[in-house]
Amino acid sequence: MTDDRVAALKARVCDAIDDRADEIIDFAKDVQAEPELGYKEVKTTEKVVSLFEDLDLDVETELAITGARARAGSGDFVAAVLGELDALVNPDHPMADPETGAVHACGHNAQLANLVGTAFGLVGSGVVDDLDGAVEFVAVPAEEYLDLDYRRGLLDAGDIEFFGGKQELIRRGYVDDWDAAAMMHAGSDTPERTITSDFSTNGFVGKFVTYRGTEAHAGAAPEEGVNALNAAMLGMNAVHAQRERFRDEDHVRVHPIITRGGDGVNVVPAEVTMESYVRAASVEAVADANESVNRALASGAMGVGGDVEIEDYPGYMPLRTDETIVAFYDENARDIVGPDAVTPGTPHLSGSTDMGDITQLVPGIHPWTGGFEGAVHARDFRVVDEEMAYVIPAKLTACTLVDLLTSPEAMAAVREAKAEKRSREEYLDAVRSLRATTTESYRD
């Protein structure tokens, strides 16, 4: 397809998005006003479905408890656009739900604006029918790795196998025919109209740790007890002693918290619980660091003569963006936002996202976009530029897909990159290998 023809398609896409810009912004605010936690996003899913149906799309719901998808266009090359439905918990945020503490302080409402805005642009304009491939629009549940007692209940009931929504979509086969995937993310403390698109992130394993000892009167007869809190403190200090062994290039991060430290100050704690992540830049580095961390945690129980149980659950896989799709996205960012819009940012981020799981199977992008003030997840996070936060990313995503789905050479390059990635079976084997329960007893 000629450059002039591609430019004309992009103009139609952007005009269609501009025509519904106010509706996109209102939708984002509506989602923000009713935040829901992962696997509970019933109202949010309904809002997305309503707009999909307004475009006469056939919509499938309840992909993984919640979630929805709709496909437009035709062809054997399939590009997916993703948006995350769930909020996080920060009760100190001024827009937090007073009952649940849920709030869109990670900008997932902006992701959904990008999702529906891209659909408005490609489907509403009719451009999707001029492309050499199909586009699937997917509202995904449960990206934030939290509310884990609830998710463990779903797991125990057999409703899910994984805590992350994209992991569940992979397991259930929804990703099998995707060739490419695109989404966006709110930039942390980035009020400017800037874009960062080329980077990688850590993966992680999530941990639940329980130390068990023996209660006793803490003043009258502490010698009769086994202090589980002391075991936890020894275990955490032993983890800290491992840090010099972690290679800089592996970007290892371990950050435990105590979730239960005892039941009364005058009772020797008999049960103490912790949660932690072990993050690293590769699956191999996650597994290696996790083995060291488990050994260190067990030493705490050994030190006091107690018991320890360590439950490891798959977290998220490392993310790596695709160079072909990134190049298109950056070119469109310079054309639409400005010549200085693309910033290099940090080449590797130590945080994690389950978009990393998608990029283990499918070439994808996960650009950080501006228009937001305050740190993501923090109480001061807010939108300061509604057009940049909610509307412009949809233009960038839609135009990127126009570039990709009108270029046989680019589609071939993306498929070549996909061929080097994991199959669904290989991915599931790798993720399931991280699930383990370790118990040790050091009683006299």
Side-chain angles (χ1 to χ4, degrees):
M1 189 175 289
T2 65
D3 291 345
D4 288 345
R5 178 63 173 150
V6 172
L9 293 178
K10 290 183 184 180
R12 286 168 56 193
V13 163
C14 290
D15 287 345
I17 292 172
D18 282 334
D19 288 344
R20 302 186 74 167
D22 289 342
E23 188 177 353
I24 294 169
I25 292 170
D26 289 344
F27 164 77
K29 291 180 176 179
D30 187 30
V31 170
Q32 184 179 40
E34 294 187 285
E36 298 174 296
L37 299 182
Y39 293 126
K40 301 176 182 177
E41 314 98 324
V42 176
K43 292 181 180 179
T44 310
T45 299
E46 290 173 351
K47 293 171 184 179
V48 174
V49 168
S50 176
L51 293 181
F52 283 171
E53 291 178 341
D54 187 55
L55 292 167
D56 293 326
L57 294 172
D58 291 329
V59 185
E60 179 182 355
T61 59
E62 298 179 0
L63 308 183
I65 311 297
T66 59
R69 68 171 182 163
R71 184 171 293 193
S74 60
D76 64 351
F77 191 101
V78 179
V81 181
L82 286 71
E84 295 160 359
L85 292 160
D86 60 327
L88 54 83
V89 175
N90 185 341
D92 294 324
H93 193 285
M95 296 195 72
D97 185 291
E99 294 183 4
T100 66
V103 63
H104 279 289
C106 199
H108 290 188
N109 60 316
Q111 292 182 17
L112 295 176
N114 176 66
L115 174 67
V116 301
T118 302
F120 288 166
L122 293 174
V123 180
S125 68
V127 165
V128 72
D129 296 321
D130 296 321
L131 304 179
D132 296 326
V135 181
E136 184 156 293
F137 304 98
V138 190
V140 187
E143 187 273 336
E144 301 290 353
Y145 202 87
L146 48 74
D147 197 21
L148 297 184
D149 285 342
Y150 173 74
R151 297 191 195 182
R152 289 171 87 178
L154 293 177
L155 190 150
D156 292 342
D159 295 326
I160 60 173
E161 181 179 348
F162 301 115
F163 290 157
K166 297 185 191 68
Q167 295 170 319
E168 277 296 300
L169 294 194
I170 293 170
R171 181 180 73 87
R172 297 174 188 221
Y174 290 110
V175 181
D176 286 355
D177 68 344
W178 296 358
D179 294 291
M183 59 177 294
M184 55 75 70
H185 198 290
S188 187
D189 201 15
T190 309
E192 305 87 2
R193 293 194 168 192
T194 57
I195 311 291
T196 302
S197 60
D198 188 17
F199 56 88
S200 57
T201 70
N202 274 358
F204 77 95
V205 61
K207 311 178 73 62
F208 298 89
V209 184
T210 303
Y211 289 98
R212 295 185 178 90
T214 302
E215 68 273 5
H217 195 290
E223 71 279 3
E224 296 179 4
V226 175
N227 194 314
L229 182 58
N230 286 343
M233 294 170 63
L234 288 170
M236 284 195 289
N237 283 328
V239 169
H240 297 326
Q242 302 293 315
R243 295 185 189 277
E244 66 183 22
R245 298 183 60 252
F246 299 146
R247 302 188 310 166
D248 291 346
E249 59 266 34
D250 288 334
H251 299 277
V252 175
R253 300 289 187 271
V254 186
H255 39 93
I257 62 168
I258 291 178
T259 54
R260 178 187 178 191
D263 298 315
V265 71
N266 62 344
V267 180
V268 172
E271 183 171 292
V272 170
T273 58
M274 298 167 48
E275 293 181 19
S276 185
Y277 292 177
V278 177
R279 305 184 194 252
S282 69
V283 176
E284 295 77 16
V286 170
D288 182 65
N290 193 53
E291 182 179 355
S292 297
V293 167
N294 282 357
R295 184 174 61 247
L297 292 172
S299 75
M302 177 186 291
V304 302
D307 304 328
V308 63
E309 180 180 69
I310 305 169
E311 296 179 87
D312 289 335
Y313 286 86
Y316 299 151
M317 292 288 222
L319 175 145
R320 176 67 256 180
T321 53
D322 177 75
E323 60 182 12
T324 301
I325 309 174
V326 162
F328 283 140
Y329 197 92
D330 287 355
E331 179 182 356
N332 284 297
R334 294 185 182 98
D335 288 344
I336 293 172
V337 184
D340 299 323
V342 178
T343 60
T346 303
H348 182 81
L349 303 173
S350 297
S352 308
T353 169
D354 62 357
M355 186 61 176
D357 294 72
I358 297 295
T359 65
Q360 292 288 315
L361 289 82
V362 177
I365 57 170
H366 185 270
W368 299 84
T369 61
F372 304 90
E373 192 173 81
V376 293
H377 292 210
R379 69 182 68 184
D380 61 346
F381 178 83
R382 66 190 183 99
V383 172
V384 293
D385 183 339
E386 290 181 345
E387 184 183 22
M388 184 62 202
Y390 299 140
V391 180
I392 289 175
K395 294 181 180 180
L396 301 180
T397 302
C399 288
T400 295
L401 295 185
V402 170
D403 284 324
L404 176 61
L405 297 177
T406 56
S407 170
E409 296 81 9
M411 288 188 284
V414 169
R415 277 192 162 161
E416 184 176 343
K418 179 183 177 181
E420 298 177 1
K421 293 181 178 289
R422 301 175 192 265
S423 68
R424 174 158 61 110
E425 292 73 21
E426 291 168 339
Y427 162 83
L428 291 173
D429 286 344
V431 174
R432 286 167 177 158
S433 72
L434 299 174
R435 175 70 180 100
T437 299
T438 302
T439 57
E440 300 287 354
S441 180
Y442 299 100
R443 301 281 183 169
D444 292 337

